Amino acid sequence: MTSRGIARCAVIGLIVLLAAALGTPSDAALVLKGGHTGTPKNMMHITLVKWADLVKERTKGAVVIEVYPSEQLGNERTLLENANLGTIDWSVVGAGGAVRFAPPFGMFENAYTFQSLKHFENVAFNRAYMQQMSGLLEQKSNMVFGGLQWLGVRNVLARKPIKGPDDAKGLKLRVPDVPTFRVVAHAVGAIASPLPFGETYMALKQGVVDAVEGTPENMINMKFFEAAKHYSLTSHMIQAAAVYLNKTSFNKMTQEQQKIVLDSGYEAWRWFFDQNEAVQKDFLKKLEEAGVAIVRPASTEPFRLRAVEMLKEKYIPEWGKAWDEFSALAK
C-alpha cells in the first residue's frame, strides 16, 4: 500500500471512531414531524411548541417533535390522511376529521354536543375515556389518539348580524370539509360551503362565501374581520382539535418515550385550557377594537334546537353507546 493509501485509511479510521463516539445517524434523535393549519401566532401553535419542548427535555433529546404551522404540510384533510399513511408522524386537525375511521369522533366536533366548558374538561382530561376512544380509532386506522386541545367557542362572522336562524337564510357559510359541520350550517340556518382554511380569506373578501364561522382568535389571526363586520355569538361549538399520531411512528419509541409524549401532550393541552376564559375575552376585545360589532342573540336556543333535530336524525343513532357515555360526562 502506498503512503497516500495508508494516510487515507488512517483518516477513514478516525472518522469511524469519531462517529462511534458522537453517535451515527441511526443513533440520532427520533424526529416526529407534523403540522396544523393555524398561524405561528395561534395559541394552538404555541401550545404545540410547548409540547415539543417538554418532550425534548424529558427524553433528553432522544425524541424531537417538529411543528409545521400554516398548512405547510397540507390542509386538514391532507394532514389527517398523511398522518394515517405515515407520510408525516402526527397532525392536529378538527376532531371530526376522524369520523371516517370511527364515527363517534363526530361527538367532539359538532354543533352543541359539548354542553359546557365543564363538559369539555370532563371529556378531554379523562385519560381513561381518551384511551378508550384511542382504542376505537386504532381498530380502524393506523393512528393513535393523542387527546383533545381546546380551541375556543365558535361563532359566526358575517356582513350582517345573525340573531336567529332566519337571519342566515340563503347565506353561504364557509365550513371545514368535515361532514359534521353540515349540522353547524343547519343550526345557524345557512348553506354549508366547504372550503380549505387557507382559501377562506379570499373567498370571504371576494363574496364567494357570505360568512365564516370560528373562534374569535381565528377571526383576528386570519384577518377575516377585514371582510365582514358582524360577529354573532351563536356559541354553536366548543371546539376541540385532535392530536393524531401515526401508529408506526409511535411504536418506534420505547414505552417510556411513548408515555412521555402522551403525558407531555396532556400537560400542554391543560395549560392552554386553563387560560380559556382570558383568551376568549382578549380576542373578543381585539375584534371590537378592529371595528367589528359583537352581536349577542337574545337566546341561542333556536340554533340549538335545529342542531339537536339533525343530530337525532343522522348522528346520535350511529354513535349509540358512545353518545350515552359522552353525554354522561356533562355532569
Side-chain angles (χ1 to χ4, degrees), residues 2 64 97 101 134 141 176 181 184 192 204 230 243 269 293 298 308 314 317:
T2 65
V64 175
F101 305 109
S134 184
S141 75
F181 272 83
V184 169
L204 189 62
H230 294 88
V243 183
W269 319 153
V308 169
K314 294 191 175 181

Side-chain angles (χ1 to χ4, degrees), residues 185-262:
H186 178 75
V188 170
I191 301 166
S193 297
L195 272 178
F197 192 57
E199 297 177 16
T200 303
Y201 177 84
M202 288 307 299
L204 189 62
K205 194 84 171 174
Q206 295 172 357
V208 175
V209 294
D210 306 303
V212 60
E213 57 79 51
T215 64
E217 182 180 6
N218 277 338
M219 300 302 114
I220 290 291
N221 289 341
M222 300 302 292
K223 299 185 177 181
F224 295 151
F225 64 86
E226 294 179 352
K229 294 296 182 181
H230 294 88
Y231 191 58
S232 299
L233 303 185
T234 54
S235 301
H236 55 263
M237 185 187 293
I238 296 174
Q239 187 181 15
V243 183
Y244 297 114
L245 300 126
N246 177 264
K247 194 187 302 182
T248 304
S249 299
F250 187 74
N251 287 335
K252 289 179 181 178
M253 294 184 280
T254 65
Q255 288 187 350
E256 181 183 2
Q257 290 170 344
Q258 290 174 355
K259 186 176 187 304
I260 288 172
V261 166
L262 293 176

Side-chain angles (χ1 to χ4, degrees), residues 69-242:
S70 305
E71 296 190 343
Q72 290 181 47
L73 302 182
N75 60 30
E76 285 214 342
R77 178 178 286 274
T78 301
L79 284 168
L80 185 63
E81 288 175 351
N82 285 343
N84 186 50
L85 291 170
T87 309
I88 58 177
D89 303 297
W90 61 271
S91 67
V92 175
V93 302
V99 296
R100 72 190 77 169
F101 305 109
F105 274 76
M107 302 181 302
F108 299 148
E109 192 180 29
N110 220 317
Y112 300 102
T113 46
F114 279 114
Q115 297 177 30
S116 64
L117 277 175
K118 184 63 178 174
H119 188 192
F120 181 94
E121 182 179 14
N122 291 346
V123 168
F125 302 107
N126 183 326
R127 294 293 295 274
Y129 182 71
M130 290 288 96
Q131 189 173 3
Q132 177 183 325
M133 294 302 296
S134 184
L136 288 180
L137 181 66
E138 291 174 51
Q139 289 174 21
K140 300 294 184 180
S141 75
N142 191 36
M143 293 184 291
V144 173
F145 182 36
L148 296 174
Q149 187 184 119
W150 177 86
L151 293 185
V153 180
R154 295 178 80 103
N155 304 287
V156 178
L157 181 75
R159 293 186 177 85
K160 68 173 187 174
I162 297 173
K163 296 182 178 180
D166 289 344
D167 294 331
K169 189 174 182 180
L171 286 184
K172 290 175 288 184
L173 175 67
R174 181 272 165 184
V175 294
D177 188 14
V178 177
T180 55
F181 272 83
R182 294 171 191 160
V183 185
V184 169
H186 178 75
V188 170
I191 301 166
S193 297
L195 272 178
F197 192 57
E199 297 177 16
T200 303
Y201 177 84
M202 288 307 299
L204 189 62
K205 194 84 171 174
Q206 295 172 357
V208 175
V209 294
D210 306 303
V212 60
E213 57 79 51
T215 64
E217 182 180 6
N218 277 338
M219 300 302 114
I220 290 291
N221 289 341
M222 300 302 292
K223 299 185 177 181
F224 295 151
F225 64 86
E226 294 179 352
K229 294 296 182 181
H230 294 88
Y231 191 58
S232 299
L233 303 185
T234 54
S235 301
H236 55 263
M237 185 187 293
I238 296 174
Q239 187 181 15

Side-chain angles (χ1 to χ4, degrees), residues 220 283-294 296:
I220 290 291
F283 282 104
L284 279 174
K285 182 180 178 183
K286 287 177 180 177
L287 278 175
E288 288 187 292
E289 291 171 349
V292 174
I294 306 301
R296 293 176 170 82

